[in-house]
Amino acid sequence: MGAVIEVDAVSKRFGALAVIEELSFSLEEGEALGVVGPNGAGKTTTLNMIAGDFRPSGGSIRFDGQDVTGFSAYRRCKLGIGRTSQIPRPFEGLTVFENVLVGASFGGAHRGHVARDLAVDALRRTGMISKANVRAGQLTLLERKRLELSRALAAEPKVLLLDEIAGGLTDGEVQELVETIKSIHASGVSVIWIEHIVHALLKVVDRMLAMDCGRVLVQGDPHEVMASDEVKNVYLGSED
Amino acid sequence: MIRTQNHVQRATGTSKLLGGLAALLVAWLAVLATGDVASTQTKIVEMCVFVVLASMWNLLAGYTGLVSIGQQAFVGIGTYALVVFANGYDQDIYFSVLPAALIALVAAVPIALLAFRLRGGYFAIGMWVIAEVVRLLVKQYKADPIKGGSGTSLNVPVSLYPKVDRFQTTALIALALAVVAVSVVALLLRSRVGLSLQAVRDNEAGAAGLGVNVYRERFFVFMIAALFTGAAGAVWYLLKIRVQPDTAFSVGDWTAPIVVMVVIGGIGTVEGPVIGAVLWYLVRDYVTSSDSVIHFSDEWYLIYTGLIALIVALYAQRGLWGALQDRFPRLQVFPIQRRLVVGDEVAVRGEDEGNG
Ligand SMILES: Nc1ncnc2c1ncn2[C@@H]1O[C@H](COP(=O)(O)OP(=O)(O)OP(=O)(O)O)[C@@H](O)[C@H]1O
Ligand SMILES: [Mg+2]
């Protein structure tokens, strides 16, 4: 088993603001990695760089051993990097089914009934099938988040990057989501899951990475990381 | 994976009914086109040319976010290519529309490579600058058959092209061009590529994140728009004959009314620009005629409709057609939607036809 994602000394500056500084970590094949960190730590920025939304200011990103630092987002998706967005990006004029079909048709590069069945399968697995013919513009925020997951799944990712998809859910819904992500992971997909709801993360992830100020704070066994002094200091006063 | 009898429905009841009505309308216009009323044929040509222009501008702006205010470049290039083939090389004027459109397509390649380096508002202005540069270059070419800024006329000796005949033929060509252009737009949007164009329309970053090559789709659509915009320009001048760079490359004569039509009719819909162009023409025809209660000049008409477009853009972004669709979600003339019918896994009935 090798690393499927390697983030190597990646930095990101927005103008004068250094958001990520020499960040390095990797994701092993078949692994589920949890990412925690306070607001503004640079979690989403890191995920966006892995997905190709924008280029790092320095450093490199490898996927399956291939340097993808210069690849645009659509190529990375086709290679097998799927992602959900913290702020959902639905195609509001299209139905839920059509939204998911985009993932199956372009990310997954399938046609006709293969793409269709892939989309249906993704809708089933994420519990969105009953909404298939609803225009995405009419979905609630939570449904939009779930649509993010359905679409990403339809593109048949090897690695799935999840950005705060459990926020705002009830306990029952979180439990459902945990089961869904577990089953995706069990089907062989490597996962990076950014989440503030730690108890949900702990049910899924094999390893935890805590970030602050664009750097790795600690990483390792999920429970040990969450119990570490570094993480406690960062979260001081903010009980979760 | 579980084998299911899922299928996808494309046509709806309204699309069958309205599609049939649209076909009847085209047939009626074809009858009018072959009549001998020159003013009717002129209206058909003008309306059809703007249906083509509006549909193409909408394909660019409404679906790929390429808001160009320089599409008059392709009207002008198509027009002058027509002049070169017809006057310069003595080709049949009707046949010359074809190479004129192809020249517009070829010209679109370097223009796209240049303009695509710009984004958003810069692209819009950049396209305008490019159109102006082409206009100025054409004006500098003083020799035959272009004759610089003073312009020229398409050679249509009545012995070869009797007037009644030319009006009839041009009206039919314009109608055919409009039908082909709108069909191309509808078929494109109905296709797999069309799904991605609608995705890009709604959320560009989201589409890219799902594997859509936005640059390539933009380039492709830009080429189609240039081809048909060039053809539309050429067809217009089959009727108007008199050609000048300042009018053929005019933003006020072409792109300004196009934007107004598309915005009022409904940007990002197939039907909207067609309805917008037809309405804009019918109303203009009425208010600029002498028997109208209120009378406007062409300029004031554009100003007033421009104001209406502004209000529509602010309060009803998807225009007339979009407002109708919001009220009647399954309303469509062209069957573009995909309605999923989830199969019953137990009762295995009917065929599992591929679709998409
Ligand atoms: N496009 C941008 N331009 C300028 N600054 C940005 C941009 N995107 C993010 N930032 C800044 O980078 C920092 C990290 O943001 P990021 O969204 O990655 O944090 P995060 O860890 O995902 O936080 P949260 O838990 O709130 O989602 C923040 O200070 C943010 O303001
Ligand atoms: Mg974030």
Side-chain angles (χ1 to χ4, degrees), chain A residues 4-5 63-64 74-83 107 152 155-161 189-190:
Chain A
V4 63
I5 297 266
F63 171 72
D64 255 350
Y74 88 89
R75 279 181 76 187
R76 299 196 202 189
C77 173
K78 281 182 181 295
L79 283 177
I81 303 180
R83 59 90 50 93
E156 296 185 302
K158 286 184 200 155
V159 175
L160 189 55
L161 312 172
V189 178
S190 314

Side-chain angles (χ1 to χ4, degrees), chain A residues 14 17 19 38-45 86 164 196:
Chain A
F14 291 109
L17 182 72
V19 172
N39 294 113
K43 305 182 294 294
T44 298
T45 305
Q86 183 174 358
E164 294 192 27
H196 285 299

Side-chain angles (χ1 to χ4, degrees), chain B residues 273-287:
Chain B
V274 179
I275 290 167
V278 171
L279 258 185
W280 195 86
Y281 253 94
L282 290 180
V283 175
R284 192 193 73 153
D285 226 53
Y286 178 69
V287 298

Side-chain angles (χ1 to χ4, degrees), chain A residues 43-167:
Chain A
K43 305 182 294 294
T44 298
T45 305
T46 303
L47 187 140
N48 282 341
M49 286 191 290
I50 298 174
D53 277 35
F54 40 70
R55 312 261 151 93
S57 314
S60 70
I61 294 166
R62 278 189 298 281
F63 171 72
D64 255 350
Q66 183 181 15
D67 189 337
V68 296
T69 318
F71 286 20
S72 46
Y74 88 89
R75 279 181 76 187
R76 299 196 202 189
C77 173
K78 281 182 181 295
L79 283 177
I81 303 180
R83 59 90 50 93
T84 69
S85 178
Q86 183 174 358
I87 298 159
R89 310 190 284 197
F91 311 128
E92 298 197 350
L94 296 179
T95 65
V96 165
F97 168 64
E98 288 170 322
N99 268 265
V100 179
L101 197 60
V102 173
S105 305
F106 294 91
H110 291 295
R111 289 168 185 276
H113 63 90
V114 181
R116 178 200 65 202
D117 288 341
L118 209 59
V120 171
D121 193 48
L123 287 169
R124 283 227 167 92
R125 289 171 72 184
T126 51
M128 286 294 280
I129 194 79
S130 62
K131 299 275 177 191
N133 293 313
V134 176
R135 257 178 216 258
Q138 288 163 351
L139 298 180
T140 65
L141 178 62
L142 295 184
E143 287 166 342
R144 284 168 193 233
K145 287 201 169 190
R146 207 155 355 141
L147 177 60
E148 286 285 313
L149 182 59
S150 323
R151 300 199 309 191
L153 208 53
E156 296 185 302
K158 286 184 200 155
V159 175
L160 189 55
L161 312 172
L162 306 170
D163 198 355
E164 294 192 27
I165 51 169

Side-chain angles (χ1 to χ4, degrees), chain B residues 31-325:
Chain B
V31 171
L32 288 180
T34 49
D36 55 4
V37 189
S39 64
T40 306
Q41 286 153 344
T42 303
K43 275 179 211 165
I44 291 175
V45 172
E46 291 181 346
M47 216 187 278
C48 288
V49 162
F50 270 94
V51 162
V52 175
L53 295 174
S55 294
M56 291 302 149
W57 191 83
N58 173 57
L59 191 60
L60 284 178
Y63 288 96
T64 67
L66 290 173
V67 179
S68 163
I69 45 178
Q71 291 309 96
Q72 66 274 13
F74 300 110
V75 173
I77 290 169
T79 303
Y80 272 95
L82 173 79
V83 168
V84 169
F85 279 100
N87 291 6
Y89 294 103
D90 284 326
Q91 297 297 311
D92 177 78
I93 57 168
Y94 309 118
F95 167 77
S96 298
V97 172
L98 201 68
L102 291 174
I103 297 268
L105 173 76
V106 171
V109 175
I111 290 178
L113 291 176
L114 190 65
F116 279 21
R117 293 164 166 265
L118 306 171
R119 307 286 318 137
Y122 295 99
F123 171 79
I125 303 292
M127 280 302 300
W128 191 1
V129 171
I130 289 170
E132 285 297 288
V133 168
V134 181
R135 177 177 69 87
L136 293 172
L137 285 175
V138 171
K139 281 179 98 161
Q140 293 314 307
Y141 196 92
K142 304 254 165 34
D144 275 342
I146 290 181
K147 294 187 178 160
S150 53
T152 184
S153 293
L154 199 63
N155 280 341
V156 281
V158 274
S159 55
L160 274 176
Y161 307 105
K163 196 174 172 204
V164 177
D165 195 67
R166 180 164 58 86
F167 273 59
Q168 278 181 356
T169 312
T170 306
L172 280 177
I173 292 178
L175 183 62
L177 183 67
V179 169
V180 171
V182 176
S183 306
V184 163
V185 171
L187 287 174
L188 183 67
L189 288 173
R190 193 183 144 84
S191 73
R192 186 169 171 274
V193 171
L195 182 69
S196 70
L197 290 178
Q198 296 175 75
V200 173
R201 168 195 69 190
D202 289 350
N203 195 313
E204 185 183 331
L210 287 175
V212 176
N213 184 345
V214 180
Y215 188 95
R216 196 185 62 187
E217 312 256 294
R218 285 209 164 113
F219 199 89
F220 175 60
V221 165
F222 195 80
M223 295 302 126
I224 292 181
L227 180 77
F228 279 96
T229 303
V235 169
W236 179 273
Y237 284 98
L238 288 179
L239 197 80
K240 305 287 175 179
I241 301 301
R242 180 89 192 120
V243 181
Q244 275 184 304
D246 287 350
T247 46
F249 288 97
S250 156
V251 68
D253 286 2
W254 302 107
T255 306
I258 293 169
V259 174
V260 170
M261 291 168 189
V262 173
V263 169
I264 291 179
I267 193 163
T269 67
V270 185
E271 295 87 350
V274 179
I275 290 167
V278 171
L279 258 185
W280 195 86
Y281 253 94
L282 290 180
V283 175
R284 192 193 73 153
D285 226 53
Y286 178 69
V287 298
T288 55
S289 70
S290 48
D291 48 288
S292 160
V293 204
I294 34 166
H295 188 83
F296 299 147
S297 66
D298 279 3
E299 286 77 13
W300 277 107
Y301 181 67
L302 183 58
I303 292 169
Y304 285 130
T305 50
L307 281 175
I308 294 173
L310 202 63
I311 293 168
V312 169
L314 285 173
Y315 298 106
Q317 265 109 22
R318 288 175 66 238
L320 270 178
W321 190 257
L324 277 172
Q325 273 192 333

